[in-house]
Amino acid sequence: QVQLVESGGGLVQPGGSLTLSCAASGIIFTSYTMGWYRQAPGKQRELVATITSRGNTKYADSVKARFTISRDNAKNTVYLQMSSLKPDDTAVYYCKAAGFFDYWGQGTQVTVSS
């Protein structure tokens, strides 16, 4: 059974930092491109960042230079380090494993507010 379990969300003040984690099980982790997506209320889900098994990364323009995606293939875990957070970053953040099949996590809420 495939599971993607996100953690690390919460409430943070503007300008603050937060690190999300996504632990994967039931898949051959190194066969998947891992990604973070987010969905704000009333908006469509959008790509935040992706990382291939070789470590090649891609970011949405809105988060470049503020967010960093990384993965630990030994721990089957992908991370999203977020800094200089803005209220517009408020959303549910989802982890995705993209391969022959795509799998999604349940999401973790990130709220940026003073």
Side-chain angles (χ1 to χ4, degrees):
Q1 183 181 358
V2 178
Q3 281 193 313
L4 300 177
V5 180
E6 300 102 334
S7 61
L11 174 64
V12 62
Q13 292 188 341
S17 300
L18 211 55
T19 297
L20 306 182
S21 300
C22 171
S25 60
I27 60 172
I28 300 174
F29 190 69
T30 52
S31 295
Y32 287 79
T33 290
M34 300 301 296
W36 287 97
Y37 292 71
R38 67 186 182 186
Q39 188 167 18
K43 294 187 177 181
Q44 290 189 331
R45 192 173 297 188
E46 62 176 5
L47 179 147
V48 175
T50 61
I51 184 168
T52 68
S53 59
R54 294 187 177 185
N56 296 316
T57 58
K58 182 171 66 174
Y59 295 92
D61 287 343
S62 59
V63 306
K64 278 180 183 176
R66 299 190 298 122
F67 290 10
T68 301
I69 188 171
S70 61
R71 64 191 291 163
D72 186 335
N73 289 335
K75 295 183 178 180
N76 287 5
T77 301
V78 61
Y79 305 95
L80 185 68
Q81 295 174 278
M82 304 184 293
S83 61
S84 302
L85 283 161
K86 308 173 182 179
D88 283 350
D89 295 318
T90 295
V92 178
Y93 284 70
Y94 297 91
C95 175
K96 177 184 176 182
F100 189 77
F101 295 106
D102 292 347
Y103 300 99
W104 291 89
Q106 292 299 307
T108 185
Q109 177 70 47
V110 172
T111 302
V112 184
S113 175
S114 55

PDB file of all heavy atoms in Angstrom, residues 48-86:
ATOM      1  N   VAL A  48       4.473  23.732  -6.784  1.00  0.00           N
ATOM      2  CA  VAL A  48       5.402  24.557  -6.020  1.00  0.00           C
ATOM      3  C   VAL A  48       6.840  24.218  -6.430  1.00  0.00           C
ATOM      4  O   VAL A  48       7.613  25.095  -6.805  1.00  0.00           O
ATOM      5  CB  VAL A  48       5.229  24.332  -4.510  1.00  0.00           C
ATOM      6  CG1 VAL A  48       6.283  25.105  -3.718  1.00  0.00           C
ATOM      7  CG2 VAL A  48       3.820  24.738  -4.073  1.00  0.00           C
ATOM      8  N   ALA A  49       7.179  22.939  -6.363  1.00  0.00           N
ATOM      9  CA  ALA A  49       8.537  22.520  -6.694  1.00  0.00           C
ATOM     10  C   ALA A  49       8.557  21.018  -6.940  1.00  0.00           C
ATOM     11  O   ALA A  49       7.738  20.282  -6.382  1.00  0.00           O
ATOM     12  CB  ALA A  49       9.509  22.870  -5.570  1.00  0.00           C
ATOM     13  N   THR A  50       9.492  20.590  -7.792  1.00  0.00           N
ATOM     14  CA  THR A  50       9.693  19.167  -8.025  1.00  0.00           C
ATOM     15  C   THR A  50      11.179  18.844  -7.977  1.00  0.00           C
ATOM     16  O   THR A  50      12.024  19.727  -8.193  1.00  0.00           O
ATOM     17  CB  THR A  50       9.130  18.714  -9.384  1.00  0.00           C
ATOM     18  OG1 THR A  50       9.808  19.424 -10.427  1.00  0.00           O
ATOM     19  CG2 THR A  50       7.636  18.948  -9.486  1.00  0.00           C
ATOM     20  N   ILE A  51      11.465  17.578  -7.722  1.00  0.00           N
ATOM     21  CA  ILE A  51      12.849  17.114  -7.702  1.00  0.00           C
ATOM     22  C   ILE A  51      12.892  15.701  -8.264  1.00  0.00           C
ATOM     23  O   ILE A  51      12.118  14.829  -7.853  1.00  0.00           O
ATOM     24  CB  ILE A  51      13.449  17.187  -6.277  1.00  0.00           C
ATOM     25  CG1 ILE A  51      14.920  16.784  -6.292  1.00  0.00           C
ATOM     26  CG2 ILE A  51      12.638  16.347  -5.279  1.00  0.00           C
ATOM     27  CD1 ILE A  51      15.658  17.118  -4.974  1.00  0.00           C
ATOM     28  N   THR A  52      13.781  15.479  -9.225  1.00  0.00           N
ATOM     29  CA  THR A  52      13.909  14.153  -9.811  1.00  0.00           C
ATOM     30  C   THR A  52      14.758  13.270  -8.886  1.00  0.00           C
ATOM     31  O   THR A  52      15.349  13.737  -7.911  1.00  0.00           O
ATOM     32  CB  THR A  52      14.582  14.228 -11.185  1.00  0.00           C
ATOM     33  OG1 THR A  52      15.957  14.623 -11.013  1.00  0.00           O
ATOM     34  CG2 THR A  52      13.880  15.223 -12.096  1.00  0.00           C
ATOM     35  N   SER A  53      14.824  11.991  -9.245  1.00  0.00           N
ATOM     36  CA  SER A  53      15.613  11.072  -8.429  1.00  0.00           C
ATOM     37  C   SER A  53      17.098  11.426  -8.457  1.00  0.00           C
ATOM     38  O   SER A  53      17.838  11.090  -7.533  1.00  0.00           O
ATOM     39  CB  SER A  53      15.412   9.638  -8.915  1.00  0.00           C
ATOM     40  OG  SER A  53      15.802   9.525 -10.267  1.00  0.00           O
ATOM     41  N   ARG A  54      17.509  12.135  -9.490  1.00  0.00           N
ATOM     42  CA  ARG A  54      18.913  12.553  -9.592  1.00  0.00           C
ATOM     43  C   ARG A  54      19.162  13.906  -8.933  1.00  0.00           C
ATOM     44  O   ARG A  54      20.289  14.388  -8.925  1.00  0.00           O
ATOM     45  CB  ARG A  54      19.344  12.609 -11.054  1.00  0.00           C
ATOM     46  CG  ARG A  54      19.351  11.249 -11.725  1.00  0.00           C
ATOM     47  CD  ARG A  54      19.942  11.337 -13.123  1.00  0.00           C
ATOM     48  NE  ARG A  54      20.014  10.022 -13.753  1.00  0.00           N
ATOM     49  CZ  ARG A  54      20.574   9.793 -14.939  1.00  0.00           C
ATOM     50  NH1 ARG A  54      21.108  10.806 -15.619  1.00  0.00           N
ATOM     51  NH2 ARG A  54      20.602   8.579 -15.446  1.00  0.00           N
ATOM     52  N   GLY A  55      18.079  14.529  -8.454  1.00  0.00           N
ATOM     53  CA  GLY A  55      18.257  15.799  -7.750  1.00  0.00           C
ATOM     54  C   GLY A  55      18.040  17.041  -8.585  1.00  0.00           C
ATOM     55  O   GLY A  55      18.298  18.152  -8.108  1.00  0.00           O
ATOM     56  N   ASN A  56      17.557  16.890  -9.802  1.00  0.00           N
ATOM     57  CA  ASN A  56      17.250  18.067 -10.617  1.00  0.00           C
ATOM     58  C   ASN A  56      15.961  18.694 -10.112  1.00  0.00           C
ATOM     59  O   ASN A  56      14.962  18.003  -9.892  1.00  0.00           O
ATOM     60  CB  ASN A  56      17.107  17.684 -12.081  1.00  0.00           C
ATOM     61  CG  ASN A  56      18.406  17.153 -12.649  1.00  0.00           C
ATOM     62  OD1 ASN A  56      19.467  17.721 -12.407  1.00  0.00           O
ATOM     63  ND2 ASN A  56      18.346  16.060 -13.392  1.00  0.00           N
ATOM     64  N   THR A  57      15.975  19.996  -9.934  1.00  0.00           N
ATOM     65  CA  THR A  57      14.846  20.684  -9.323  1.00  0.00           C
ATOM     66  C   THR A  57      14.193  21.681 -10.278  1.00  0.00           C
ATOM     67  O   THR A  57      14.817  22.182 -11.222  1.00  0.00           O
ATOM     68  CB  THR A  57      15.283  21.434  -8.054  1.00  0.00           C
ATOM     69  OG1 THR A  57      16.313  22.372  -8.389  1.00  0.00           O
ATOM     70  CG2 THR A  57      15.817  20.467  -7.007  1.00  0.00           C
ATOM     71  N   LYS A  58      12.938  21.949  -9.979  1.00  0.00           N
ATOM     72  CA  LYS A  58      12.166  22.951 -10.714  1.00  0.00           C
ATOM     73  C   LYS A  58      11.270  23.654  -9.705  1.00  0.00           C
ATOM     74  O   LYS A  58      10.737  23.012  -8.791  1.00  0.00           O
ATOM     75  CB  LYS A  58      11.326  22.288 -11.796  1.00  0.00           C
ATOM     76  CG  LYS A  58      10.523  23.260 -12.635  1.00  0.00           C
ATOM     77  CD  LYS A  58       9.885  22.554 -13.841  1.00  0.00           C
ATOM     78  CE  LYS A  58       8.853  21.554 -13.460  1.00  0.00           C
ATOM     79  NZ  LYS A  58       8.148  20.995 -14.637  1.00  0.00           N
ATOM     80  N   TYR A  59      11.117  24.978  -9.870  1.00  0.00           N
ATOM     81  CA  TYR A  59      10.319  25.771  -8.934  1.00  0.00           C
ATOM     82  C   TYR A  59       9.327  26.664  -9.660  1.00  0.00           C
ATOM     83  O   TYR A  59       9.593  27.137 -10.764  1.00  0.00           O
ATOM     84  CB  TYR A  59      11.234  26.674  -8.094  1.00  0.00           C
ATOM     85  CG  TYR A  59      12.185  25.941  -7.183  1.00  0.00           C
ATOM     86  CD1 TYR A  59      13.459  25.604  -7.602  1.00  0.00           C
ATOM     87  CD2 TYR A  59      11.794  25.586  -5.889  1.00  0.00           C
ATOM     88  CE1 TYR A  59      14.333  24.923  -6.767  1.00  0.00           C
ATOM     89  CE2 TYR A  59      12.661  24.911  -5.047  1.00  0.00           C
ATOM     90  CZ  TYR A  59      13.924  24.576  -5.495  1.00  0.00           C
ATOM     91  OH  TYR A  59      14.782  23.906  -4.655  1.00  0.00           O
ATOM     92  N   ALA A  60       8.215  26.928  -9.000  1.00  0.00           N
ATOM     93  CA  ALA A  60       7.308  27.957  -9.476  1.00  0.00           C
ATOM     94  C   ALA A  60       7.991  29.311  -9.303  1.00  0.00           C
ATOM     95  O   ALA A  60       8.758  29.511  -8.347  1.00  0.00           O
ATOM     96  CB  ALA A  60       6.013  27.921  -8.679  1.00  0.00           C
ATOM     97  N   ASP A  61       7.729  30.231 -10.220  1.00  0.00           N
ATOM     98  CA  ASP A  61       8.368  31.547 -10.141  1.00  0.00           C
ATOM     99  C   ASP A  61       8.078  32.236  -8.810  1.00  0.00           C
ATOM    100  O   ASP A  61       8.928  32.959  -8.277  1.00  0.00           O
ATOM    101  CB  ASP A  61       7.884  32.436 -11.285  1.00  0.00           C
ATOM    102  CG  ASP A  61       8.458  32.027 -12.629  1.00  0.00           C
ATOM    103  OD1 ASP A  61       9.460  31.277 -12.653  1.00  0.00           O
ATOM    104  OD2 ASP A  61       7.902  32.437 -13.660  1.00  0.00           O
ATOM    105  N   SER A  62       6.898  31.986  -8.265  1.00  0.00           N
ATOM    106  CA  SER A  62       6.478  32.683  -7.045  1.00  0.00           C
ATOM    107  C   SER A  62       7.268  32.261  -5.803  1.00  0.00           C
ATOM    108  O   SER A  62       7.233  32.961  -4.785  1.00  0.00           O
ATOM    109  CB  SER A  62       4.990  32.450  -6.796  1.00  0.00           C
ATOM    110  OG  SER A  62       4.721  31.070  -6.659  1.00  0.00           O
ATOM    111  N   VAL A  63       7.970  31.134  -5.890  1.00  0.00           N
ATOM    112  CA  VAL A  63       8.689  30.657  -4.704  1.00  0.00           C
ATOM    113  C   VAL A  63      10.198  30.585  -4.914  1.00  0.00           C
ATOM    114  O   VAL A  63      10.933  30.271  -3.970  1.00  0.00           O
ATOM    115  CB  VAL A  63       8.163  29.278  -4.243  1.00  0.00           C
ATOM    116  CG1 VAL A  63       6.657  29.312  -4.038  1.00  0.00           C
ATOM    117  CG2 VAL A  63       8.562  28.172  -5.213  1.00  0.00           C
ATOM    118  N   LYS A  64      10.657  30.854  -6.130  1.00  0.00           N
ATOM    119  CA  LYS A  64      12.100  30.799  -6.396  1.00  0.00           C
ATOM    120  C   LYS A  64      12.851  31.704  -5.436  1.00  0.00           C
ATOM    121  O   LYS A  64      12.411  32.819  -5.138  1.00  0.00           O
ATOM    122  CB  LYS A  64      12.379  31.223  -7.835  1.00  0.00           C
ATOM    123  CG  LYS A  64      12.167  30.122  -8.853  1.00  0.00           C
ATOM    124  CD  LYS A  64      12.471  30.618 -10.265  1.00  0.00           C
ATOM    125  CE  LYS A  64      12.197  29.534 -11.280  1.00  0.00           C
ATOM    126  NZ  LYS A  64      12.379  30.007 -12.676  1.00  0.00           N
ATOM    127  N   ALA A  65      13.979  31.232  -4.971  1.00  0.00           N
ATOM    128  CA  ALA A  65      14.866  31.951  -4.054  1.00  0.00           C
ATOM    129  C   ALA A  65      14.328  31.994  -2.627  1.00  0.00           C
ATOM    130  O   ALA A  65      15.003  32.480  -1.724  1.00  0.00           O
ATOM    131  CB  ALA A  65      15.161  33.373  -4.522  1.00  0.00           C
ATOM    132  N   ARG A  66      13.116  31.482  -2.411  1.00  0.00           N
ATOM    133  CA  ARG A  66      12.568  31.440  -1.046  1.00  0.00           C
ATOM    134  C   ARG A  66      12.386  30.010  -0.547  1.00  0.00           C
ATOM    135  O   ARG A  66      12.526  29.741   0.644  1.00  0.00           O
ATOM    136  CB  ARG A  66      11.220  32.163  -0.981  1.00  0.00           C
ATOM    137  CG  ARG A  66      11.275  33.631  -1.340  1.00  0.00           C
ATOM    138  CD  ARG A  66       9.959  34.336  -1.017  1.00  0.00           C
ATOM    139  NE  ARG A  66       8.840  33.780  -1.775  1.00  0.00           N
ATOM    140  CZ  ARG A  66       7.744  33.266  -1.205  1.00  0.00           C
ATOM    141  NH1 ARG A  66       7.637  33.233   0.118  1.00  0.00           N
ATOM    142  NH2 ARG A  66       6.756  32.799  -1.951  1.00  0.00           N
ATOM    143  N   PHE A  67      12.055  29.091  -1.471  1.00  0.00           N
ATOM    144  CA  PHE A  67      11.794  27.703  -1.106  1.00  0.00           C
ATOM    145  C   PHE A  67      12.902  26.813  -1.675  1.00  0.00           C
ATOM    146  O   PHE A  67      13.444  27.091  -2.750  1.00  0.00           O
ATOM    147  CB  PHE A  67      10.464  27.232  -1.670  1.00  0.00           C
ATOM    148  CG  PHE A  67       9.230  27.848  -1.046  1.00  0.00           C
ATOM    149  CD1 PHE A  67       9.314  28.930  -0.178  1.00  0.00           C
ATOM    150  CD2 PHE A  67       7.985  27.338  -1.340  1.00  0.00           C
ATOM    151  CE1 PHE A  67       8.185  29.488   0.387  1.00  0.00           C
ATOM    152  CE2 PHE A  67       6.826  27.880  -0.784  1.00  0.00           C
ATOM    153  CZ  PHE A  67       6.945  28.967   0.081  1.00  0.00           C
ATOM    154  N   THR A  68      13.202  25.738  -0.970  1.00  0.00           N
ATOM    155  CA  THR A  68      14.176  24.756  -1.437  1.00  0.00           C
ATOM    156  C   THR A  68      13.605  23.357  -1.259  1.00  0.00           C
ATOM    157  O   THR A  68      13.201  22.983  -0.144  1.00  0.00           O
ATOM    158  CB  THR A  68      15.493  24.870  -0.668  1.00  0.00           C
ATOM    159  OG1 THR A  68      16.039  26.186  -0.833  1.00  0.00           O
ATOM    160  CG2 THR A  68      16.505  23.850  -1.193  1.00  0.00           C
ATOM    161  N   ILE A  69      13.570  22.606  -2.347  1.00  0.00           N
ATOM    162  CA  ILE A  69      13.126  21.216  -2.276  1.00  0.00           C
ATOM    163  C   ILE A  69      14.359  20.318  -2.233  1.00  0.00           C
ATOM    164  O   ILE A  69      15.370  20.591  -2.899  1.00  0.00           O
ATOM    165  CB  ILE A  69      12.210  20.852  -3.467  1.00  0.00           C
ATOM    166  CG1 ILE A  69      11.589  19.464  -3.265  1.00  0.00           C
ATOM    167  CG2 ILE A  69      12.956  20.946  -4.794  1.00  0.00           C
ATOM    168  CD1 ILE A  69      10.499  19.135  -4.294  1.00  0.00           C
ATOM    169  N   SER A  70      14.274  19.265  -1.440  1.00  0.00           N
ATOM    170  CA  SER A  70      15.380  18.311  -1.365  1.00  0.00           C
ATOM    171  C   SER A  70      14.800  16.938  -1.060  1.00  0.00           C
ATOM    172  O   SER A  70      13.623  16.817  -0.678  1.00  0.00           O
ATOM    173  CB  SER A  70      16.392  18.721  -0.295  1.00  0.00           C
ATOM    174  OG  SER A  70      15.784  18.758   0.994  1.00  0.00           O
ATOM    175  N   ARG A  71      15.621  15.909  -1.241  1.00  0.00           N
ATOM    176  CA  ARG A  71      15.161  14.558  -0.953  1.00  0.00           C
ATOM    177  C   ARG A  71      16.287  13.752  -0.331  1.00  0.00           C
ATOM    178  O   ARG A  71      17.464  13.992  -0.622  1.00  0.00           O
ATOM    179  CB  ARG A  71      14.630  13.871  -2.212  1.00  0.00           C
ATOM    180  CG  ARG A  71      15.641  13.638  -3.298  1.00  0.00           C
ATOM    181  CD  ARG A  71      14.974  13.198  -4.599  1.00  0.00           C
ATOM    182  NE  ARG A  71      14.392  11.861  -4.497  1.00  0.00           N
ATOM    183  CZ  ARG A  71      13.494  11.385  -5.361  1.00  0.00           C
ATOM    184  NH1 ARG A  71      13.076  12.139  -6.367  1.00  0.00           N
ATOM    185  NH2 ARG A  71      13.027  10.154  -5.223  1.00  0.00           N
ATOM    186  N   ASP A  72      15.898  12.822   0.517  1.00  0.00           N
ATOM    187  CA  ASP A  72      16.836  11.880   1.122  1.00  0.00           C
ATOM    188  C   ASP A  72      16.377  10.498   0.680  1.00  0.00           C
ATOM    189  O   ASP A  72      15.420   9.943   1.228  1.00  0.00           O
ATOM    190  CB  ASP A  72      16.815  12.019   2.644  1.00  0.00           C
ATOM    191  CG  ASP A  72      17.870  11.169   3.326  1.00  0.00           C
ATOM    192  OD1 ASP A  72      18.288  10.136   2.738  1.00  0.00           O
ATOM    193  OD2 ASP A  72      18.273  11.498   4.449  1.00  0.00           O
ATOM    194  N   ASN A  73      17.053   9.953  -0.324  1.00  0.00           N
ATOM    195  CA  ASN A  73      16.625   8.667  -0.877  1.00  0.00           C
ATOM    196  C   ASN A  73      16.805   7.522   0.128  1.00  0.00           C
ATOM    197  O   ASN A  73      16.113   6.514   0.037  1.00  0.00           O
ATOM    198  CB  ASN A  73      17.386   8.374  -2.164  1.00  0.00           C
ATOM    199  CG  ASN A  73      16.958   9.279  -3.302  1.00  0.00           C
ATOM    200  OD1 ASN A  73      15.839   9.792  -3.323  1.00  0.00           O
ATOM    201  ND2 ASN A  73      17.857   9.488  -4.252  1.00  0.00           N
ATOM    202  N   ALA A  74      17.706   7.672   1.068  1.00  0.00           N
ATOM    203  CA  ALA A  74      17.898   6.638   2.084  1.00  0.00           C
ATOM    204  C   ALA A  74      16.735   6.599   3.074  1.00  0.00           C
ATOM    205  O   ALA A  74      16.450   5.557   3.672  1.00  0.00           O
ATOM    206  CB  ALA A  74      19.206   6.874   2.829  1.00  0.00           C
ATOM    207  N   LYS A  75      16.071   7.737   3.238  1.00  0.00           N
ATOM    208  CA  LYS A  75      14.947   7.823   4.184  1.00  0.00           C
ATOM    209  C   LYS A  75      13.596   7.873   3.477  1.00  0.00           C
ATOM    210  O   LYS A  75      12.557   8.009   4.123  1.00  0.00           O
ATOM    211  CB  LYS A  75      15.097   9.064   5.072  1.00  0.00           C
ATOM    212  CG  LYS A  75      16.309   9.022   5.991  1.00  0.00           C
ATOM    213  CD  LYS A  75      16.353  10.251   6.887  1.00  0.00           C
ATOM    214  CE  LYS A  75      17.535  10.189   7.834  1.00  0.00           C
ATOM    215  NZ  LYS A  75      17.612  11.385   8.719  1.00  0.00           N
ATOM    216  N   ASN A  76      13.607   7.785   2.142  1.00  0.00           N
ATOM    217  CA  ASN A  76      12.359   7.863   1.365  1.00  0.00           C
ATOM    218  C   ASN A  76      11.555   9.104   1.725  1.00  0.00           C
ATOM    219  O   ASN A  76      10.324   9.060   1.885  1.00  0.00           O
ATOM    220  CB  ASN A  76      11.500   6.613   1.590  1.00  0.00           C
ATOM    221  CG  ASN A  76      12.051   5.384   0.889  1.00  0.00           C
ATOM    222  OD1 ASN A  76      13.129   5.435   0.296  1.00  0.00           O
ATOM    223  ND2 ASN A  76      11.343   4.277   0.978  1.00  0.00           N
ATOM    224  N   THR A  77      12.251  10.214   1.844  1.00  0.00           N
ATOM    225  CA  THR A  77      11.612  11.439   2.314  1.00  0.00           C
ATOM    226  C   THR A  77      11.997  12.618   1.419  1.00  0.00           C
ATOM    227  O   THR A  77      13.150  12.732   1.004  1.00  0.00           O
ATOM    228  CB  THR A  77      12.008  11.733   3.770  1.00  0.00           C
ATOM    229  OG1 THR A  77      11.608  10.628   4.602  1.00  0.00           O
ATOM    230  CG2 THR A  77      11.327  12.995   4.289  1.00  0.00           C
ATOM    231  N   VAL A  78      11.024  13.462   1.168  1.00  0.00           N
ATOM    232  CA  VAL A  78      11.254  14.703   0.432  1.00  0.00           C
ATOM    233  C   VAL A  78      10.896  15.863   1.357  1.00  0.00           C
ATOM    234  O   VAL A  78       9.981  15.758   2.173  1.00  0.00           O
ATOM    235  CB  VAL A  78      10.443  14.746  -0.875  1.00  0.00           C
ATOM    236  CG1 VAL A  78       8.947  14.669  -0.614  1.00  0.00           C
ATOM    237  CG2 VAL A  78      10.796  15.967  -1.703  1.00  0.00           C
ATOM    238  N   TYR A  79      11.653  16.939   1.228  1.00  0.00           N
ATOM    239  CA  TYR A  79      11.493  18.098   2.107  1.00  0.00           C
ATOM    240  C   TYR A  79      11.200  19.357   1.293  1.00  0.00           C
ATOM    241  O   TYR A  79      11.568  19.454   0.119  1.00  0.00           O
ATOM    242  CB  TYR A  79      12.765  18.329   2.920  1.00  0.00           C
ATOM    243  CG  TYR A  79      13.214  17.131   3.721  1.00  0.00           C
ATOM    244  CD1 TYR A  79      14.173  16.254   3.206  1.00  0.00           C
ATOM    245  CD2 TYR A  79      12.694  16.882   4.977  1.00  0.00           C
ATOM    246  CE1 TYR A  79      14.593  15.146   3.936  1.00  0.00           C
ATOM    247  CE2 TYR A  79      13.112  15.770   5.715  1.00  0.00           C
ATOM    248  CZ  TYR A  79      14.056  14.918   5.179  1.00  0.00           C
ATOM    249  OH  TYR A  79      14.467  13.820   5.904  1.00  0.00           O
ATOM    250  N   LEU A  80      10.562  20.305   1.946  1.00  0.00           N
ATOM    251  CA  LEU A  80      10.382  21.625   1.358  1.00  0.00           C
ATOM    252  C   LEU A  80      10.715  22.646   2.434  1.00  0.00           C
ATOM    253  O   LEU A  80       9.972  22.812   3.407  1.00  0.00           O
ATOM    254  CB  LEU A  80       8.950  21.844   0.859  1.00  0.00           C
ATOM    255  CG  LEU A  80       8.722  23.158   0.126  1.00  0.00           C
ATOM    256  CD1 LEU A  80       9.470  23.160  -1.215  1.00  0.00           C
ATOM    257  CD2 LEU A  80       7.235  23.412  -0.100  1.00  0.00           C
ATOM    258  N   GLN A  81      11.859  23.299   2.271  1.00  0.00           N
ATOM    259  CA  GLN A  81      12.256  24.359   3.183  1.00  0.00           C
ATOM    260  C   GLN A  81      11.689  25.660   2.653  1.00  0.00           C
ATOM    261  O   GLN A  81      11.967  26.044   1.514  1.00  0.00           O
ATOM    262  CB  GLN A  81      13.777  24.437   3.281  1.00  0.00           C
ATOM    263  CG  GLN A  81      14.418  23.209   3.894  1.00  0.00           C
ATOM    264  CD  GLN A  81      15.943  23.291   3.839  1.00  0.00           C
ATOM    265  OE1 GLN A  81      16.553  22.989   2.819  1.00  0.00           O
ATOM    266  NE2 GLN A  81      16.541  23.693   4.932  1.00  0.00           N
ATOM    267  N   MET A  82      10.917  26.330   3.492  1.00  0.00           N
ATOM    268  CA  MET A  82      10.251  27.561   3.075  1.00  0.00           C
ATOM    269  C   MET A  82      10.739  28.703   3.964  1.00  0.00           C
ATOM    270  O   MET A  82      10.721  28.583   5.192  1.00  0.00           O
ATOM    271  CB  MET A  82       8.737  27.405   3.203  1.00  0.00           C
ATOM    272  CG  MET A  82       8.178  26.219   2.434  1.00  0.00           C
ATOM    273  SD  MET A  82       6.384  26.105   2.508  1.00  0.00           S
ATOM    274  CE  MET A  82       6.154  25.731   4.240  1.00  0.00           C
ATOM    275  N   SER A  83      11.158  29.780   3.343  1.00  0.00           N
ATOM    276  CA  SER A  83      11.598  30.945   4.095  1.00  0.00           C
ATOM    277  C   SER A  83      10.966  32.199   3.512  1.00  0.00           C
ATOM    278  O   SER A  83      10.362  32.164   2.441  1.00  0.00           O
ATOM    279  CB  SER A  83      13.125  31.052   4.080  1.00  0.00           C
ATOM    280  OG  SER A  83      13.592  31.207   2.754  1.00  0.00           O
ATOM    281  N   SER A  84      11.114  33.305   4.231  1.00  0.00           N
ATOM    282  CA  SER A  84      10.510  34.572   3.811  1.00  0.00           C
ATOM    283  C   SER A  84       9.053  34.367   3.427  1.00  0.00           C
ATOM    284  O   SER A  84       8.584  34.861   2.397  1.00  0.00           O
ATOM    285  CB  SER A  84      11.296  35.175   2.637  1.00  0.00           C
ATOM    286  OG  SER A  84      12.645  35.390   2.984  1.00  0.00           O
ATOM    287  N   LEU A  85       8.335  33.664   4.258  1.00  0.00           N
ATOM    288  CA  LEU A  85       6.955  33.316   3.953  1.00  0.00           C
ATOM    289  C   LEU A  85       6.055  34.541   3.914  1.00  0.00           C
ATOM    290  O   LEU A  85       6.238  35.494   4.684  1.00  0.00           O
ATOM    291  CB  LEU A  85       6.437  32.294   4.963  1.00  0.00           C
ATOM    292  CG  LEU A  85       6.941  30.866   4.724  1.00  0.00           C
ATOM    293  CD1 LEU A  85       6.785  30.009   5.971  1.00  0.00           C
ATOM    294  CD2 LEU A  85       6.197  30.239   3.554  1.00  0.00           C
ATOM    295  N   LYS A  86       5.107  34.493   3.004  1.00  0.00           N
ATOM    296  CA  LYS A  86       4.158  35.578   2.787  1.00  0.00           C
ATOM    297  C   LYS A  86       2.736  35.065   3.029  1.00  0.00           C
ATOM    298  O   LYS A  86       2.485  33.864   2.887  1.00  0.00           O
ATOM    299  CB  LYS A  86       4.269  36.092   1.353  1.00  0.00           C
ATOM    300  CG  LYS A  86       5.653  36.464   0.896  1.00  0.00           C
ATOM    301  CD  LYS A  86       5.667  36.797  -0.589  1.00  0.00           C
ATOM    302  CE  LYS A  86       7.050  37.122  -1.080  1.00  0.00           C
ATOM    303  NZ  LYS A  86       7.070  37.415  -2.545  1.00  0.00           N
TER     304      LYS A  86
END
